[in-house]
């Protein structure tokens, strides 16, 4: 039995550029593929035309956001500003961008540092793989968008939510992103046609799932701790999950199920990770159904799928 070599940035970039030269990113083909991606079935047919480059750029946009969130927490956001153009990364004025957060718990700090490194690596990998076809980094809002998300999730009880204010709020902020990344990559599986790209996406999905499980574990341990506005950690997480589920296809779970059992790996009745379509993911990051911009991307994503 022979094994295909691991995909490298040059390998992927060459293939993407060849296809781009052949016009595989035509708008008509994209429209047909997005029609398929909007279905709720986990066994959707493959897209009519190859849109691998579009899908990778969609993933790159999401990785820009995750990388910005974690790198800002550990005082390294300047490293991301050197990649993908000069668009703004909006952060709370109270955050010292050169030092990052003042963590109290060394375990939370270690987690933040590890995930920051992974997310920066994801950005570099996808950016190099796409080469000249890589989408520019869009404007990213980690200030007003978090305030809006906190207020919406808490029914107006929490105002001015700042994920960098303390360790617990940081974990809440991380919870908003990680499950979305996992479901986005799971949903992309039906859109990717090149096995090498699919293998790379599956590898990133696995790392995102590790991140999500670690964050959920930390939050589960503190689920009965007071968070803010008279709410416990478990209640805040459930509110975030319910809000994501409402706009993101009802594919979400909090820290516990109906029996009170821990949910460290959210999954369907078969134990399979939920997939989300590109539209469902956009509903969450734009903080509104069917929006074309807003939330964490004030001007929208860059690329064809936005």
């Amino acid at each position: 039995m022979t094994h295909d070599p691991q995909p490298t940035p040059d390998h992927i970039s060459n293939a993407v550029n060849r296809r781009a030269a052949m016009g595989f990113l035509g708008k008509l083909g994209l429209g047909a593929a997005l029609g398929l991606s909007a279905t709720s079935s986990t066994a959707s047919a493959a897209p009519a035309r190859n849109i691998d480059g579009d899908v990778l750029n969609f993933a790159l946009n999401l990785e820009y956001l995750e990388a910005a969130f974690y790198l800002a927490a550990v005082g390294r956001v300047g490293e991301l500003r050197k990649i993908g153009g000069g668009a703004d990364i909006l952060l709370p004025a109270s955050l010292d961008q050169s030092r990052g957060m003042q963590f109290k718990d060394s375990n939370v700090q270690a987690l933040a540092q590890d995930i920051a490194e992974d997310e920066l690596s994801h950005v570099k990998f996808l950016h190099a793989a796409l080469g000249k076809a890589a989408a520019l980094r869009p404007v990213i809002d980690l200030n007003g968008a978090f305030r809006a998300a906190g207020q919406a999730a808490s029914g107006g009880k929490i105002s001015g939510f700042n994920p960098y204010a303390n360790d617990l709020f940081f974990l809440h902020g991380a919870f908003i992103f990680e499950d979305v990344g996992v479901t986005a990559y799971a949903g992309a599986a039906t859109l990717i046609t090149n096995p090498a790209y699919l293998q790379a996406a599956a590898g990133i999905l696995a790392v995102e799932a590790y991140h999500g499980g670690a964050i959920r574990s930390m939050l589960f341990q503190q689920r009965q701790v007071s968070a803010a506005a008279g709410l416990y950690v478990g209640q805040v997480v459930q509110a975030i999950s319910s809000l994501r589920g409402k706009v993101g296809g009802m594919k979400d779970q909090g820290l516990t199920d109906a029996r009170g059992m821990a949910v460290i790996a959210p999954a369907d009745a078969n134990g399979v990770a939920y997939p989300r379509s590109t539209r469902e993911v956009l509903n969450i990051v734009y903080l509104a159904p069917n929006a074309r911009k807003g939330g964490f991307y004030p001007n929208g994503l860059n690329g064809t799928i936005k």
Side-chain angles (χ1 to χ4, degrees):
M1 179 181 295
T2 60
H3 297 277
D4 292 332
Q6 292 289 324
T8 64
D10 288 341
H11 173 204
I12 297 177
S13 180
N14 290 339
V16 170
N17 290 335
R18 284 198 300 272
R19 289 194 172 99
M22 295 172 65
F24 81 102
L25 299 182
K27 291 184 178 180
L28 293 178
L30 175 64
L34 289 182
L36 290 171
S37 76
T39 66
S40 60
S41 170
T42 59
S44 301
R49 292 187 66 178
N50 187 318
I51 59 165
D52 288 356
D54 290 321
V55 175
L56 292 180
N57 264 323
F58 183 72
L60 177 59
N61 274 269
L62 299 179
E63 295 293 352
Y64 281 140
L65 174 61
E66 288 189 298
F69 172 72
Y70 289 106
L71 289 168
V74 298
R76 296 175 56 189
V77 71
E79 295 177 44
L80 184 63
R81 287 196 165 103
K82 299 176 182 178
I83 306 172
D88 285 344
I89 299 175
L90 307 175
L91 296 163
S94 60
L95 179 68
D96 185 333
Q97 296 185 28
S98 63
R99 295 182 59 193
M101 285 181 58
Q102 300 303 300
F103 290 96
K104 301 293 185 182
D105 187 332
S106 61
N107 292 322
V108 177
Q109 184 175 20
L111 180 70
Q113 291 171 337
D114 182 47
I115 298 181
E117 189 67 36
D118 287 342
E119 300 300 354
L120 179 60
S121 295
H122 291 169
V123 168
K124 290 179 177 179
F125 175 74
L126 290 171
H127 197 273
L130 286 156
K132 293 181 180 179
L136 293 176
R137 174 167 40 81
V139 175
I140 293 172
D141 184 358
L142 295 172
N143 185 26
F146 268 120
R147 293 201 303 269
Q151 190 159 9
S154 66
K157 293 182 179 180
I158 297 177
S159 61
F161 176 69
N162 175 3
Y164 303 114
N166 56 58
D167 294 20
L168 186 55
F169 281 13
F170 169 77
L171 291 174
H172 285 318
F175 177 79
I176 291 176
F177 292 137
E178 288 301 340
D179 285 353
V180 179
V182 173
T183 56
Y185 277 104
T190 60
L191 300 176
I192 298 175
T193 60
N194 187 309
Y197 305 165
L198 183 58
Q199 184 180 32
I204 295 177
L205 185 155
V207 172
E208 299 291 355
Y210 280 125
H211 296 166
I215 290 162
R216 280 176 168 270
S217 296
M218 285 189 168
L219 287 168
F220 182 79
Q221 293 171 355
Q222 302 182 64
R223 66 191 183 283
Q224 295 179 336
V225 173
S226 178
L231 299 173
Y232 292 104
V233 170
Q235 292 174 305
V236 174
V237 172
Q238 183 59 57
I240 294 170
S241 174
S242 298
L243 181 62
R244 282 194 316 218
K246 182 178 180 180
V247 300
M250 303 309 294
K251 302 166 183 176
D252 223 293
Q253 291 175 290
L255 295 177
T256 57
D257 61 17
R259 301 166 297 170
M261 302 293 288
V263 178
I264 303 303
D268 65 16
N270 297 313
V272 177
Y274 297 109
R276 280 193 171 101
S277 70
T278 54
R279 181 64 262 176
E280 290 168 342
V281 173
L282 291 172
N283 289 347
I284 295 172
V285 297
Y286 289 163
L287 300 181
N290 301 315
R292 298 181 65 85
K293 61 182 179 180
F296 295 100
Y297 298 92
N299 299 335
L301 274 68
N302 287 330
T304 308
I305 303 175
K306 59 183 178 181

